[in-house]
Amino acid sequence: MPQSHRTPWTARFAGLCRNHWRTIVVCLALIVLIAILEEVLFSDIVRMDQLAYWLVVLHMRTDWLTPVMTSVTNLAAPVPLLVMLVIVAAFAPGRRPGWCCALNLVLVVALNELLKYIVHRPRPDGFRLISEVGYSFPSGHSMVSMAFFGLLVWMIWRYERDRTMRVLWSLFFGAVIFMVGFSRIYLGVHYASDVVAGFCVSLVWLAFYTRVVAPLFLPKPANPRHSSALAARIAPEKAARPDPTMDTAMWNTTPDVPPEPRHRRTERDR
């Protein structure tokens, strides 16, 4: 193949990442989760937790920031989530978007309780700013925020046609997810490893849920960016081959050449 027609390896790699981004996210999340879980189960000291304690608890706590973090952490509390579920059920597209988000939330909470019961990690003690009960690993608020708001981000990218609104809303919900996890470390009710592990578990869960369960509740997106991308890929192939409904004589660009006389062809063959 001529050099000018070869696709650069960077373009091939980018296309591979676009086509398999879900698998890449799941693999990375599982790698991080297994590494954290190994340190939590077989080591008394997790370096990530020490660094987070030094940076957040010792150097970032202030009187004005504490009530802000308390309000942020309540975004993943039951009452605000129920209010947002009602809003999703009223305005989101699909047959049952509210049920889709509600089922996702219930299953994630059940998964979090199961993992906490298996790991049995105690909560941090001695520097809590609010009262919490139960085990620490993984963070329930972090798992719930990533699963719930992450599903909203998936729905926005699937159904919102305005690119600017997709980006803005995705950045907003992404900031909410990060701040909820950060607030749990700031308030001293979770270790940093609990928060990161909760994010990783929910990322793996979302990859499964959006592929298997969510399509049962939501319709296929009527998003023009998908159809335009498909049209751009098939346009060169369609232009390269003739339309079978048209006269094939119109595509014959080779001029008609009269056949060579038979006696000349015979003499040359001899």
Side-chain angles (χ1 to χ4, degrees):
M1 183 180 292
Q3 184 68 26
S4 59
H5 294 286
R6 290 181 181 175
T7 304
W9 70 269
T10 53
R12 296 197 301 270
F13 179 75
L16 185 66
C17 292
R18 285 194 302 269
N19 295 333
H20 301 280
W21 65 269
R22 191 186 302 264
T23 304
I24 295 173
V25 170
V26 169
C27 291
L28 292 177
L30 285 175
I31 290 172
V32 174
L33 177 61
I34 292 172
I36 294 175
L37 187 60
E38 182 181 5
E39 288 201 48
V40 170
L41 294 177
F42 302 105
S43 177
D44 295 332
I45 299 176
V46 179
R47 288 166 291 181
M48 180 192 308
D49 300 337
Q50 290 181 312
L51 178 61
Y53 175 81
W54 176 84
L55 178 63
V56 179
V57 176
L58 297 182
H59 291 85
M60 295 186 65
R61 281 184 174 179
T62 58
D63 294 336
W64 67 268
L65 189 56
T66 299
V68 175
M69 291 292 105
T70 304
S71 300
V72 169
T73 203
N74 288 331
L75 292 175
V79 174
L81 290 176
L82 287 176
V83 173
M84 284 182 277
L85 275 176
V86 173
I87 296 174
V88 170
F91 297 103
R95 295 184 295 273
R96 295 181 179 89
W99 284 108
C100 179
C101 294
L103 179 62
N104 173 51
L105 193 57
V106 170
L107 293 178
V108 163
V109 171
L111 178 61
N112 177 257
E113 291 297 326
L114 176 62
L115 293 175
K116 284 186 175 183
Y117 179 78
I118 294 173
V119 178
H120 268 72
R121 187 186 196 185
R123 289 183 182 271
D125 194 14
F127 53 94
R128 301 185 201 175
L129 297 181
I130 60 175
S131 177
E132 289 285 358
V133 295
Y135 295 110
S136 185
F137 185 95
S139 168
H141 279 66
S142 300
M143 278 189 63
V144 166
S145 63
M146 175 63 77
F148 183 80
F149 297 112
L151 182 60
L152 294 184
V153 171
W154 178 81
M155 292 171 65
I156 289 170
W157 277 94
R158 187 176 174 87
Y159 296 107
E160 178 58 52
R161 300 188 179 188
D162 189 345
R163 179 178 177 82
T164 302
M165 296 303 297
R166 288 200 307 267
V167 173
L168 290 178
W169 280 110
S170 299
L171 290 176
F172 172 75
F173 287 124
V176 171
I177 294 170
F178 172 79
M179 291 304 298
V180 169
F182 179 81
S183 69
R184 306 305 286 174
I185 303 172
Y186 179 93
L187 296 173
V189 293
H190 279 294
Y191 297 105
S193 54
D194 300 334
V195 172
V196 177
F199 287 160
C200 292
V201 172
S202 285
L203 282 174
V204 177
W205 168 256
L206 279 176
F208 165 78
Y209 192 83
T210 55
R211 174 69 72 177
V212 177
V213 182
L216 302 177
F217 296 92
L218 304 173
K220 292 183 179 180
N223 200 325
R225 62 193 181 97
H226 297 291
S227 59
S228 61
L230 179 62
R233 289 199 302 268
I234 66 175
E237 299 177 2
K238 187 175 181 181
R241 61 176 183 266
D243 188 349
T245 61
M246 299 179 65
D247 188 4
T248 55
M250 297 176 59
W251 294 90
N252 187 10
T253 56
T254 304
D256 294 332
V257 179
E260 190 176 3
R262 189 176 185 82
H263 66 278
R264 292 182 181 178
R265 190 164 55 246
T266 304
E267 293 175 0
R268 188 178 61 183
D269 293 339
R270 292 176 182 175

